[in-house]
């Protein structure tokens, strides 16, 4: 809408081929995710570890885990077959920075063999400040942080525990650490001039009223795009805040919150909540053409 912030030209160029960052690009350019990151360092109440990270992903689909070498092979095969493939993302199925060796090894292999492919990373932000130099060095130009609150009192209702510096924290202490690290992450990305998208999962009765405040804070700290996504309530997908279940927002409730924030910064409204091994244009998932039993038999464009 006209009230949304207009984006300056250099940023326009940087996002022109990223289907998530640019609404226009999503008709022409494809992205793929590789599932190399199984572990997570926090617990979200809406997550079920059997499935992909619910922060980005659709519930109920389990992605095949790959080693970095398998992932690189897959990327090179697909880059040869789908010429619109411009972006490689690592988004799960756990938190990519809770699996730093696998995640960075995968990025390194791609940067070396297919330097034209843009690299993209999604994380809850707990460990990002520790890896900002590596992220910068690898030219990772797009990072998505999932930030569901900027108030630890609300955080306690979303995160029962985190694991940080080899220690498990619970309650308000856990929520405070996560919040502080997420704020540091925003600042570090801004300082490194890396484009940051923030995902927020809208959870009715928990953080729905609070999301405009999240929007205000992330904008102040330099995030570029805000993606408010609905909690998807499905019985197979998680603990849902207790016995009676937690509903997701209605499309109308979601739109109302998005509209409330849209005067302040660019809002993403075309997110498809992709699986951790998604392949293709947004909304056109071709992951089943490239399962492990298939892609391992295909020739990559370059030899690893
Ligand atoms: Fe699950 Fe993702 Fe939350 Fe980790 S960050 S607990 S994988 S939803
Ligand atoms: Fe893009 Fe949303 Fe899919 Fe992530 S989940 S790749 S932001 S469309």
């Amino acid at each position: 809408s006209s009230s949304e912030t207009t984006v300056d030209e250099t940023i326009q160029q940087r996002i022109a081929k990223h289907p998530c960052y640019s609404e226009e690009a999503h008709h022409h350019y494809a992205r793929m995710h590789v599932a190399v990151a199984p572990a997570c360092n926090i617990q979200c109440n809406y997550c079920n570890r059997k499935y992909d990270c619910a922060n980005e992903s659709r519930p109920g689909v389990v992605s095949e885990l790959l080693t970095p070498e398998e992932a690189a092979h897959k990327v090179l095969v697909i880059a040869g077959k789908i010429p619109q493939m411009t972006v490689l993302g690592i988004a799960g199925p756990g938190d990519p920075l809770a699996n730093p060796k696998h995640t960075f090894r995968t990025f390194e292999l791609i940067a070396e063999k297919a330097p034209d492919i843009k690299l993209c990373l999604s994380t809850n932000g707990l460990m990002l400040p520790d890896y900002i130099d590596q992220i910068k060095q690898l030219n990772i130009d797009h990072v998505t942080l999932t930030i569901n609150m900027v108030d630890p009192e609300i955080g306690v209702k979303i995160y029962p525990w985190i694991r940080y510096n080899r220690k498990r924290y619970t309650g308000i202490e856990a929520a405070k650490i996560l919040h502080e690290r997420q704020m540091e992450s925003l600042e570090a990305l801004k300082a490194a001039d890396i484009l940051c998208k923030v995902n927020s999962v809208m959870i009715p009765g928990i953080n729905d009223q609070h999301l405009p405040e999240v929007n205000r804070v992330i904008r102040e700290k330099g995030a570029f795009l805000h993606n408010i996504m609905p909690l998807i309530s499905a019985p197979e997908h998680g603990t849902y805040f207790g016995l009676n279940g937690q509903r997701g927002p209605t499309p109308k409730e979601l739109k109302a919150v998005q509209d409330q924030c849209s005067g302040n910064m660019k809002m993403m409204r075309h997110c498809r909540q992709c699986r951790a091994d998604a392949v293709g244009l947004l909304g056109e998932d071709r992951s089943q053409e490239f399962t492990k039993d298939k892609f391992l038999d295909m020739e990559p464009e370059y030899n690893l």
Side-chain angles (χ1 to χ4, degrees), residues 17-300:
K17 291 186 177 180
H18 195 305
C20 308
Y21 281 70
S22 156
E23 163 113 56
E24 252 170 61
H26 97 271
H27 300 292
H28 311 288
Y29 295 102
R31 56 76 188 93
M32 64 178 292
H33 287 170
V34 286
V36 295
C40 194
N41 45 15
I42 69 174
Q43 177 68 62
C44 303
N45 264 330
Y46 52 74
C47 178
N48 179 335
R49 288 293 162 68
K50 276 201 295 207
Y51 303 105
D52 295 336
C53 174
N55 288 334
E56 275 249 319
S57 306
R58 204 185 294 262
V61 280
V62 188
S63 301
E64 248 170 358
L65 273 180
L66 305 178
T67 66
E69 287 70 25
E70 288 167 344
H73 181 105
K74 183 175 180 180
V75 174
L76 298 180
V77 163
I78 291 175
K81 292 197 186 294
I82 306 179
Q84 312 96 304
M85 180 64 58
T86 47
V87 178
L88 167 75
I90 301 185
D95 189 82
L97 297 180
N99 305 261
K101 284 205 182 98
H102 285 183
T103 294
F104 287 115
R105 182 68 190 135
T106 305
F107 281 140
E108 263 166 32
L109 288 168
I110 303 307
E112 196 182 298
K113 304 283 178 182
D116 290 348
I117 293 184
K118 278 181 177 296
L119 305 178
C120 181
L121 168 74
S122 300
T123 174
N124 59 41
L126 182 63
M127 293 315 293
L128 185 133
D130 292 13
Y131 294 105
I132 190 71
D133 292 340
Q134 244 169 301
I135 290 169
K136 181 96 188 149
Q137 241 165 39
L138 278 163
N139 256 327
I140 298 172
D141 199 31
H142 303 85
V143 172
T144 296
L145 292 174
T146 298
I147 300 181
N148 296 323
M149 54 87 193
V150 290
D151 174 357
E153 297 288 347
I154 291 173
V156 240
K157 300 184 199 157
I158 305 176
Y159 307 103
W161 56 260
I162 68 167
R163 203 177 158 74
Y164 180 58
N165 288 343
R166 291 160 196 254
K167 241 188 98 178
R168 192 179 156 105
Y169 296 85
T170 57
I172 193 79
E173 206 185 355
K176 265 191 187 146
I177 295 170
L178 181 62
H179 168 61
E180 278 158 22
R181 294 288 282 180
Q182 289 180 333
M183 296 302 103
E184 271 179 58
S185 296
L186 283 168
E187 285 153 19
L189 290 168
K190 175 82 187 154
D193 191 28
I194 294 168
L195 291 176
C196 174
K197 163 163 84 62
V198 170
N199 283 354
S200 301
V201 181
M202 179 177 173
I203 313 164
I206 306 278
N207 71 348
D208 48 344
Q209 304 293 316
H210 177 60
L211 288 174
E213 176 66 5
V214 173
N215 178 269
R216 187 186 65 76
V217 170
I218 64 162
R219 174 171 33 104
E220 270 175 21
K221 296 206 180 281
F224 160 72
L225 183 64
H226 195 187
N227 177 19
I228 298 180
M229 32 191 359
L231 175 78
I232 301 177
S233 211
E236 71 275 21
H237 195 253
T239 48
Y240 296 134
F241 307 89
L243 290 175
N244 294 321
Q246 164 70 47
R247 70 173 182 92
T250 64
K252 213 172 146 192
E253 288 170 328
L254 178 68
K255 187 175 179 298
V257 173
Q258 288 173 334
D259 287 347
Q260 230 185 312
C261 301
S262 71
N264 306 323
M265 72 185 289
K266 259 190 101 53
M267 302 296 292
M268 176 176 187
R269 296 184 195 242
H270 63 288
C271 179
R272 300 300 176 92
Q273 295 180 281
C274 310
R275 33 192 295 164
D277 60 359
V279 176
L281 296 170
L282 298 190
E284 169 225 56
D285 184 15
R286 298 177 60 178
S287 58
Q288 295 313 303
E289 292 170 44
F290 302 100
T291 50
K292 208 156 147 180
D293 57 327
K294 295 178 185 147
F295 80 74
L296 284 177
D297 290 334
M298 301 179 195
E299 276 300 309

